[in-house]
Amino acid sequence: MAKLVDRPKADLVIRSYIPEVLRGLRVTSRHFWVNFLTRKNVVTIEYPEEKYPYPPRFRGQHRLMKREDDSVRCVACFLCATACPADCITIKAGERSDKNEKYPVSFEIDYIRCIFCGMCEEACPCDAIRLDSGDHKLPGYTREEEVLQKEDLLAKGGLSIAKQGGILQ
Ligand code: SF4
Ligand code: SF4
């Protein structure tokens, strides 16, 4: 059974909302001046000049790692491209002349499709691809800008001394 509740009578002052608006403005002003003068509870930062450090497990822009002789570690095995659920890695393989190995003639990642799941990194047996660059891919104006090439990925890459086969040293 429905219970009837009496509505309190609202006089003209209450119905004008002026006291409540003034009360709200008082609270807003208090927060504004406290934050402006003390910056005590301010959680925003002056991005992009100031940036929060990403957590250690943050998955950002990919990088291709290098060997001690500065050549690319990738052996164009296609495991990352096969594991990628977004089908966004395209590799063209070539033969290395100095070793009985392949290498990527081209290595592209389409960032319009990438979901930063890290499966490529997990699948790689050579520690050749990582998402630990600490940067995120900056947006571009064209679709072409969203496809990073081998050179872009190598530019962020560093030395990896992992044994080929995935055992970290
Ligand atoms: S992070 Fe995931 S979606 Fe992006 S390239 Fe790697 S496997 Fe593909
Ligand atoms: S899994 Fe590693 S070695 Fe194989 S193609 Fe991908 S990045 Fe290169």
Side-chain angles (χ1 to χ4, degrees):
M1 190 178 145
K3 185 179 176 187
L4 293 178
V5 179
D6 285 337
R7 284 175 183 272
K9 285 240 184 276
D11 60 19
L12 196 62
V13 176
I14 290 177
R15 276 189 286 148
S16 72
Y17 293 105
I18 290 172
E20 293 309 310
V21 168
L22 290 177
R23 201 139 62 124
L25 283 175
R26 197 181 65 194
V27 174
T28 306
S29 310
R30 193 179 69 229
H31 283 295
F32 171 78
W33 285 112
V34 167
N35 288 341
F36 184 70
L37 295 174
T38 67
R39 299 191 65 82
K40 210 168 62 182
N41 300 318
V42 177
V43 290
T44 51
I45 55 168
E46 305 268 351
Y47 186 85
E49 289 81 15
E50 212 181 319
K51 290 179 185 166
Y52 276 123
Y54 289 123
R57 294 182 65 192
F58 168 75
R59 295 191 197 116
Q61 187 176 317
H62 298 70
R63 58 189 188 135
L64 281 178
M65 305 303 288
K66 298 175 189 167
R67 304 178 193 203
E68 274 148 338
D69 63 2
D70 219 33
S71 63
V72 64
R73 286 187 67 88
C74 175
V75 293
C77 67
F78 290 82
L79 279 175
C80 54
T82 307
C84 176
D87 194 21
C88 59
I89 301 179
T90 310
I91 304 167
K92 279 192 196 134
E95 294 276 345
R96 278 177 74 125
S97 53
D98 55 335
K99 289 189 177 144
N100 192 19
E101 275 181 0
K102 289 192 292 175
Y103 79 104
V105 178
S106 71
F107 194 113
E108 292 178 357
I109 300 182
D110 185 345
Y111 277 85
I112 293 177
R113 304 179 67 129
C114 177
I115 53 170
F116 298 94
C117 63
M119 295 294 282
C120 49
E121 189 180 46
E122 293 284 329
C124 181
C126 304
D127 188 33
I129 187 166
R130 293 191 192 172
L131 286 89
D132 63 352
S133 61
D135 293 326
H136 55 259
K137 164 82 179 66
L138 293 176
Y141 290 102
T142 61
R143 284 180 177 271
E144 290 73 37
E145 283 178 78
E146 294 303 318
V147 180
L148 288 198
Q149 306 294 328
K150 182 175 125 184
E151 294 70 29
D152 306 316
L153 301 166
L154 273 172
K156 288 204 176 285
L159 172 70
S160 166
I161 54 165
K163 271 191 190 155
Q164 296 292 79
I167 301 158
L168 287 168
Q169 287 180 333

